[in-house]
Amino acid sequence: MPIKTVVKQFNFSKNSLINLVLDIDSYKFFLPWCKNSKILKIKENDLKKIIYADLEIGYKNISDIYTSQVVFDKKKSKIMVKSLSGPINKLSNIWTFREITKKSCEVNFFIEIKLNNFLLNTIFSKFFDIGFDKILSSFEKRAKKILG
């Protein structure tokens, strides 16, 4: 099961980057292999924001939709993602944001993922690092484009 942790500093405010990650409806415009993204429901209170969303992930004519639950812990500046249905057997994705200055922050990104299909999971595992780097790079490019 592929696992990856990355810690990176950005020259954008913590809140701006959090909002960028939570803007799931926009993933279809910049995230590699994301053919569609749609927020289904949002629940929010003073401590947490919970988003239920569908992502259609695919390559060429092959695609599948998975539903995820995204929990934003406002006090801890932490976003936790887990898969609820679809082709993903297990997904643990955690973004933690730490303010350095008003205009910079450190992001700790963790992901652990396993697909339901054994054969696809084996192939996916071999290319995971390349795919992960593309996805992280796409968030960085989006931040530069949107946040300046």
Side-chain angles (χ1 to χ4, degrees):
M1 177 168 19
I3 297 172
K4 184 102 170 178
T5 301
V6 172
V7 178
K8 197 161 189 166
Q9 185 173 331
F10 292 90
N11 291 319
F12 302 107
S13 74
K14 176 180 80 169
N15 289 334
S16 294
L17 284 177
I18 289 170
N19 290 332
L20 182 85
V21 174
L22 292 176
D23 185 15
I24 298 163
D25 278 339
S26 294
Y27 284 14
K28 61 184 160 265
F29 300 121
F30 72 94
L31 199 60
W33 310 291
C34 184
K35 293 185 170 192
N36 198 12
S37 53
K38 181 180 175 184
I39 292 175
L40 304 172
K41 180 170 57 170
I42 298 174
K43 296 179 184 179
E44 188 168 9
N45 60 38
D46 292 341
L47 301 175
K48 290 186 180 176
K49 181 176 195 173
I50 302 172
I51 302 170
Y52 297 89
D54 278 349
L55 288 185
E56 181 180 357
I57 304 297
Y59 181 72
K60 295 188 179 183
N61 292 332
I62 301 169
S63 67
D64 210 337
I65 296 172
Y66 78 92
T67 302
S68 61
Q69 177 189 57
V70 180
V71 178
F72 171 48
D73 184 319
K74 297 176 183 181
K75 187 174 181 180
K76 294 180 181 177
S77 297
K78 182 186 268 189
I79 297 171
M80 297 152 289
V81 182
K82 69 177 182 178
S83 177
L84 299 177
S85 66
I88 298 174
N89 180 297
K90 179 181 182 181
L91 172 65
S92 178
N93 178 209
I94 301 168
W95 303 72
T96 307
F97 302 82
R98 184 180 63 82
E99 185 173 88
I100 298 170
T101 69
K102 292 290 181 196
K103 294 184 179 183
S104 68
C105 72
E106 179 182 270
V107 178
N108 186 315
F109 180 87
F110 169 84
I111 187 166
E112 178 180 25
I113 188 167
K114 181 180 180 185
L115 302 179
N116 286 328
N117 182 297
F118 176 77
L119 181 60
L120 288 177
N121 193 64
T122 303
I123 295 166
F124 176 76
S125 296
K126 292 183 187 288
F127 296 99
F128 177 74
D129 285 338
I130 294 166
F132 175 83
D133 291 343
K134 279 188 164 198
I135 290 169
L136 189 58
S137 175
S138 72
F139 273 101
E140 288 182 71
K141 288 176 186 172
R142 181 73 171 176
K144 288 176 185 173
K145 180 179 179 181
I146 300 296
L147 306 173

